[in-house]
Structures are given as C-alpha cells and as structure tokens.
Amino acid sequence: MTKEAFSLLVEQYEHLVYTICFQLVRDAAAAEDLTQETFLSAYLHRDAIPTGYERQWLGRIAANKAKDHLQSAWSRRAVLPGDEALAAGLSPPAEELALSGLGEADIRAAIEALREPYRPVCRLCLLEERSPEEAALALGRPVKTIHTQLARGKRLLRERLEGREQHGDLP
C-alpha cells in the first residue's frame, strides 16, 4: 500500500477509530492518543491490510489498543486514603510499603509457595530484582507475559500476606 493510499485510509476512517477508542476509554485525550497509536501500528503493518476489510481491520486494532490501555498500570492508578498528602513522585512504591512491615523470610516463603507460572517470575523480579525484560530472557517467555504474570503474582502475594496479617500470623 502506498503512502498516498494509506493517507486516504486515515482520512476515511479516523472518525471511526476515534469513536471506537473513546467508547472504550471514555477519555478524549486518551482516545486521541490511541487513535494515533492505531494508525501508527496500521502504517507499520500496512502490507498486511486485508483488501476489502480495511474498516474491520482498523476497528480491531483500535479496540485492542484501547483494551491494552485500560489494562495498563497507568490507567488503573488509584489514590489511596492518605496518599493525597504526599507530593507527586515522592510516595514510596507499594512494594517498599509491603516489605517494610514484613520480614524477608516471610516474603520469600510466600513467593516460594506461589504456584506456577508465578513463582519463578516473582522470584526473579522481586527477590533477585531483575527487570521483566531480564526475566523474560531467563524464562524464555514474552515480556508481556512476564508483566501479566508478575502483576497476578503480586496480587496473589498481597492477598496471602494480608490474609496472614489479619489472622495474626504476622507482626
């Protein structure tokens, strides 16, 4: 597909793509950014556009971009009680807050008690302080999979450790 043909495609479907993004994220600025990301991705893969199905193809890319945005940590940010008093950027990471009240042995035991596939990911990223990219290389998994498994592993750890605290098993 030529650049001119792609430009016509953008003009023809930009409103549709924006509408799909906006319907999912309900934020005009984010929908504009996602529209640009959609067309950038489409441009990079313009040779794969199925002839006659451009509208559906762009719609699917837009929906996937919006869903990825909604699942990202940035869009799920939340203000907890007491956080409003902290200046932006000065609040300690959630992991540091959790670690401050627990012993290393407790955390290590909780990580080792996790089921597969979360145990090796949490061991590498939380105990050995490796980046998700390094963990992906070490485990032979895609980086996005590592991010997902790390987030789920942290949630399981949080649930397990909070449950133990509530029952008086931890200090």
Side-chain angles (χ1 to χ4, degrees), residues 46-132:
R46 65 188 179 275
D47 294 332
I49 297 176
T51 307
Y53 294 95
E54 295 87 358
R55 180 176 190 265
Q56 294 88 338
W57 190 71
L58 287 169
R60 177 53 43 206
I61 294 172
N64 287 340
K65 292 284 181 189
K67 289 176 185 176
D68 287 347
H69 172 78
L70 291 172
Q71 291 177 348
S72 73
W74 174 252
S75 71
R76 288 183 282 123
R77 64 193 180 279
V79 178
L80 300 173
D83 281 354
E84 61 275 355
L86 295 172
L90 297 180
S91 61
E95 287 86 6
E96 285 182 24
L97 290 175
L99 294 175
S100 66
L102 300 171
E104 183 180 339
D106 294 325
I107 295 167
R108 184 175 298 279
I111 289 173
E112 293 301 328
L114 288 173
R115 66 180 189 273
E116 290 290 332
Y118 310 114
R119 183 183 325 117
V121 173
C122 288
R123 186 183 310 128
L124 288 171
C125 294
L126 301 177
L127 294 179
E128 297 180 19
E129 298 181 2
R130 293 195 191 178
S131 70

Side-chain angles (χ1 to χ4, degrees), residues 27-39:
D27 178 16
E32 289 174 7
D33 291 343
L34 291 168
T35 300
Q36 287 185 354
E37 288 180 31
T38 297
F39 283 113

